[in-house]
Amino acid sequence: DDQVERVRVGGQLARFEPDPRVPLTVPELARFLRNPVKAFFKQRLNVVFGEAEEEGADEETFGVAGLEEYGLVRELAGEVLSQLPEVGRTDVEALVDAALAGMQRAGRLPLGGLAERTQRQLAANLVPMLQTWQAVQAEHPSPATRQRLHAVHGAVLLDDWLDHLREGVNGGGIPVWLELDTGKLAARQPRRRGLVPRADKLLMAWVRSLAAAASGVQVAGVLVGRDATLHITPMPPEDAEATLAVLMAHWQEGLSRPLPLALR
């Protein structure tokens, strides 16, 4: 509380100096870029912002939309994915139906006439996405050697590993990382036809690609969402090194004072 009060009335915290024994990681850098102020409060002031209170368990659900729908899709996808290694591709739809039926019995979905419509809506989001995910995994069946990610800028050391890489069916080529995102990856923009990838949804893929290219590691990526599948190509190493250096400098600066950066 004293630290927060000093910041509030204009007092200065000492400049943040990274501990070389605790290097920066790719997920940590991405979390900082997603919300620099939250990262500052957590690391420098040990202040953690609480999540919004969940809907009471006794309240009846009459419909799903927005964050509630996103949470249900994410939960259902996790349940189905935990069973996919043991079944064939044709079982995805049946697994989704079973998961939805279990959620309905538990009172997690709307009652009455809305029930069937809600289940159709959730299944329409889940089934194509999970089938695409299975197809992408089948196209990259073999594990590849993990790669070290290493970069230094001033006093900031980034040191991490790129795990769970895969190789294509025919082998050879560059390794690929695969990621499933249960949200929407694209949006419509005025004066442009079709869907355009959302930059805010590509944050982790961008930082991962920067760190890989800056470390001399050539990797590609496939990001599967509910509305699009995005293919990530390797970046030019020189450009990646320069951009990553800027982000690492901002990370140190952002832990010295809150930076007014907004992801979108």
Side-chain angles (χ1 to χ4, degrees):
D1 291 342
D2 291 341
Q3 286 180 310
V4 173
E5 182 66 18
R6 287 204 303 274
V7 172
R8 187 180 67 83
V9 299
Q12 295 293 322
L13 282 177
R15 178 173 172 79
F16 173 71
E17 294 297 335
D19 185 345
R21 299 168 298 179
V22 186
L24 177 64
T25 65
V26 168
E28 185 179 0
L29 180 57
R31 283 194 297 269
F32 165 78
L33 295 172
R34 187 169 297 281
N35 194 326
V37 175
K38 186 175 181 179
F40 170 83
F41 270 83
K42 181 178 180 180
Q43 186 152 341
R44 296 306 307 279
L45 304 179
N46 199 29
V47 174
V48 179
F49 297 102
E51 300 293 336
E53 291 186 2
E54 295 182 355
E55 183 182 47
D58 294 333
E59 294 187 30
E60 182 178 353
T61 301
F62 291 98
V64 292
L67 290 176
E68 183 183 6
E69 181 197 29
Y70 173 78
L72 290 175
V73 169
R74 187 172 183 178
E75 181 180 341
L76 288 163
E79 182 176 343
V80 174
L81 285 172
S82 68
Q83 304 175 58
L84 282 183
E86 302 175 3
V87 299
R89 286 186 58 189
T90 55
D91 291 314
V92 170
E93 192 168 354
L95 286 174
V96 169
D97 289 342
L100 284 168
M103 192 169 281
Q104 179 69 45
R105 288 193 298 271
R108 302 282 308 283
L109 298 179
L111 302 176
L114 287 175
E116 184 178 348
R117 186 177 68 180
T118 299
Q119 291 190 48
R120 286 201 308 267
Q121 174 187 340
L122 292 172
N125 286 325
L126 276 165
V127 173
M129 177 180 66
L130 294 177
Q131 289 176 336
T132 300
W133 178 247
Q134 279 196 311
V136 167
Q137 289 185 310
E139 293 169 0
H140 305 87
S142 305
T145 304
R146 69 174 185 164
Q147 300 291 327
R148 187 183 182 189
L149 307 179
H150 184 86
V152 179
H153 177 72
V156 182
L157 165 66
L158 184 145
D159 197 21
D160 205 348
W161 289 93
L162 193 50
D163 293 308
H164 309 299
L165 295 172
R166 312 291 297 180
E167 289 184 348
V169 175
N170 299 322
I174 61 175
V176 177
W177 54 261
L178 308 178
E179 183 178 342
L180 177 68
D181 188 320
T182 55
K184 294 182 178 180
L185 303 180
R188 297 190 181 279
Q189 291 186 356
R191 301 180 182 179
R192 298 190 66 174
R193 293 183 178 180
L195 296 174
V196 177
R198 289 174 48 186
D200 58 304
K201 298 295 291 186
L202 292 172
L203 177 63
M204 177 61 79
W206 181 56
V207 176
R208 183 186 293 133
S209 297
L210 282 171
S215 304
V217 176
Q218 250 205 336
V219 293
V222 180
L223 182 58
V224 178
R226 71 165 73 176
D227 60 343
T229 299
L230 306 181
H231 296 265
I232 314 297
T233 56
M235 296 182 178
E238 298 80 7
D239 294 344
E241 288 177 19
T243 303
L244 184 61
V246 172
L247 298 186
M248 293 167 70
H250 279 313
W251 175 75
Q252 183 176 11
E253 183 67 19
L255 293 184
S256 299
R257 62 184 179 91
L259 295 181
L261 302 179
L263 178 61
R264 293 187 182 181

